[in-house]
Amino acid sequence: MAVDYFLHDKIWFEKFKYDDAERRFYEQMNGPMGGPSHQQENGASTILRDIARARENIQKSLAGSASTTSSGAAGDQNELLSRISHLEVENQNLRSVVADLQTAIFKLESRLNALEKSSTSHQPSSVPPTQKVEPFSVPSKKVELPAKKSEPAAAEEDEDDDIDLFGSDDEEEDQEAAKVREERLRQYAEKKAKKPGLIAKSSILLDVKPWDDETDMAKMEECVRSIHMDGLVWGASKLVPVGYGIKKLQIQCVVEDEKVGTDILEEEITKFEDYVQSVDIAAFNKI
């Protein structure tokens, strides 16, 4: 770093030290006490030699750094030139590839144009007026006879066409197929009628409330369970405290919606007036 600094900025910051040394040396040489002291002369001469040696070393170091920097710059310049030449070669290769692609595209376009022209030239010619062409039509089973056939043969052919040899069999087969189809439909309808439908059921949780705390809850539950209906099944039950020592009967049942309604069930339970005060539906869920 110091060498580069001296190369670019030629400033000697510590020159005042050497100037002071030279000034003291000349003062000692020219002063009144400079004659008798031989040791002082030797010291001054050594200082001058050191100064000269230091200057030489500095100059050598500066020269060496300049040579190294010049060699480094030359190396960088050579590398840059080599890279530029390499890029030029690559550029030439890319240009050749692009030229090949352009020629290939041009050839393809020419071939396509030739194929289009050939397809237009090979289109089917127009149909002669004497020939009848029916596109997308089902071919007829009848075969036209040549015009040179005699009239008696043509009359025999007409008579054969009038005779339907297989008409009766086709009608019989159609009737049998219709009978089989009707029989299968009838069997399917009977099977579907016999199949049981989906029965809609509901799960109901009832709150049966007594009159007071002296009501016999066991007897009240027995009365409720004594109700029997088609589509009614009683489930679990429990006593739930209401307050002031009064408990209500909470009982669950499953009913068929078409056979048992909630209104009929409440009416049947409230018939036991000695035990039941009221009936409420606590929960109602479809099954």
Side-chain angles (χ1 to χ4, degrees), residues 133-190:
V133 178
E134 295 180 357
F136 306 103
S137 62
V138 181
S140 178
K141 294 182 179 180
K142 294 181 179 180
V143 180
E144 295 182 359
L145 297 175
K148 294 181 180 180
K149 190 175 181 180
S150 61
E151 294 179 357
E156 291 178 0
E157 185 177 358
D158 294 337
E159 292 178 358
D160 293 337
D161 292 337
D162 294 336
I163 299 172
D164 188 4
L165 299 176
F166 303 99
S168 60
D169 294 339
D170 293 340
E171 291 178 358
E172 291 178 358
E173 289 178 359
D174 293 339
Q175 291 177 359
E176 291 178 358
K179 289 180 181 179
V180 172
R181 184 171 61 256
E182 290 177 358
E183 182 67 21
R184 289 180 179 176
L185 290 173
R186 185 181 61 78
Q187 291 177 359
Y188 176 75
E190 292 178 355

Side-chain angles (χ1 to χ4, degrees), residues 20-273:
D20 292 336
E22 288 180 357
R23 182 175 53 80
R24 287 195 299 270
F25 171 74
Y26 287 114
E27 285 178 355
Q28 290 175 2
M29 291 292 292
N30 297 325
M33 296 183 65
S37 178
H38 182 70
Q39 293 179 355
Q40 291 179 356
E41 293 178 356
N42 293 330
S45 62
T46 55
I47 290 170
L48 291 173
R49 284 196 300 271
D50 293 335
I51 290 169
R53 193 177 299 163
R55 288 179 178 177
E56 290 178 359
N57 291 331
I58 289 169
Q59 290 177 358
K60 289 179 180 179
S61 62
L62 290 173
S65 63
S67 63
T68 54
T69 53
S70 62
S71 63
D76 295 337
Q77 188 176 4
N78 293 329
E79 184 179 359
L80 182 61
L81 291 173
S82 63
R83 290 182 65 184
I84 289 171
S85 61
H86 182 67
L87 289 173
E88 288 179 352
V89 172
E90 288 183 353
N91 191 10
Q92 291 177 358
N93 293 331
L94 289 174
R95 286 181 179 178
S96 62
V97 171
V98 170
D100 294 338
L101 290 174
Q102 288 178 351
T103 54
I105 291 169
F106 179 74
K107 290 179 180 179
L108 287 173
E109 289 179 352
S110 61
R111 289 184 65 185
L112 287 173
N113 293 327
L115 289 172
E116 289 177 356
K117 290 178 181 179
S118 62
S119 62
T120 54
S121 62
H122 288 292
Q123 285 182 354
S125 60
S126 59
V127 182
T130 56
Q131 185 178 357
K132 187 178 180 181
V133 178
E134 295 180 357
F136 306 103
S137 62
V138 181
S140 178
K141 294 182 179 180
K142 294 181 179 180
V143 180
E144 295 182 359
L145 297 175
K148 294 181 180 180
K149 190 175 181 180
S150 61
E151 294 179 357
E156 291 178 0
E157 185 177 358
D158 294 337
E159 292 178 358
D160 293 337
D161 292 337
D162 294 336
I163 299 172
D164 188 4
L165 299 176
F166 303 99
S168 60
D169 294 339
D170 293 340
E171 291 178 358
E172 291 178 358
E173 289 178 359
D174 293 339
Q175 291 177 359
E176 291 178 358
K179 289 180 181 179
V180 172
R181 184 171 61 256
E182 290 177 358
E183 182 67 21
R184 289 180 179 176
L185 290 173
R186 185 181 61 78
Q187 291 177 359
Y188 176 75
E190 292 178 355
K191 185 177 180 181
K192 189 174 182 181
K194 292 179 182 179
K195 187 177 180 180
L198 183 64
I199 300 173
K201 294 183 179 181
S202 301
S203 175
I204 305 173
L205 184 64
L206 300 172
D207 287 342
V208 184
K209 298 177 182 178
W211 290 102
D212 51 17
D213 57 345
E214 295 180 356
T215 303
D216 189 358
M217 301 302 294
K219 185 65 177 176
M220 186 174 70
E221 182 179 356
E222 183 180 353
C223 292
V224 172
R225 289 185 180 274
S226 64
I227 299 171
H228 296 287
M229 295 181 185
D230 186 15
L232 172 64
V233 179
W234 293 106
S237 64
K238 64 179 179 178
L239 298 176
V240 180
V242 178
Y244 302 102
I246 300 174
K247 296 182 180 179
K248 66 179 178 180
L249 175 65
Q250 198 170 65
I251 186 167
Q252 188 175 9
C253 64
V254 177
V255 299
E256 294 183 10
D257 296 341
E258 294 182 356
K259 295 180 180 180
V260 181
T262 56
D263 297 336
I264 298 173
L265 194 60
E266 290 178 4
E267 288 178 1
E268 292 294 328
I269 295 173
T270 52
K271 286 180 180 179
F272 302 99
E273 297 178 352

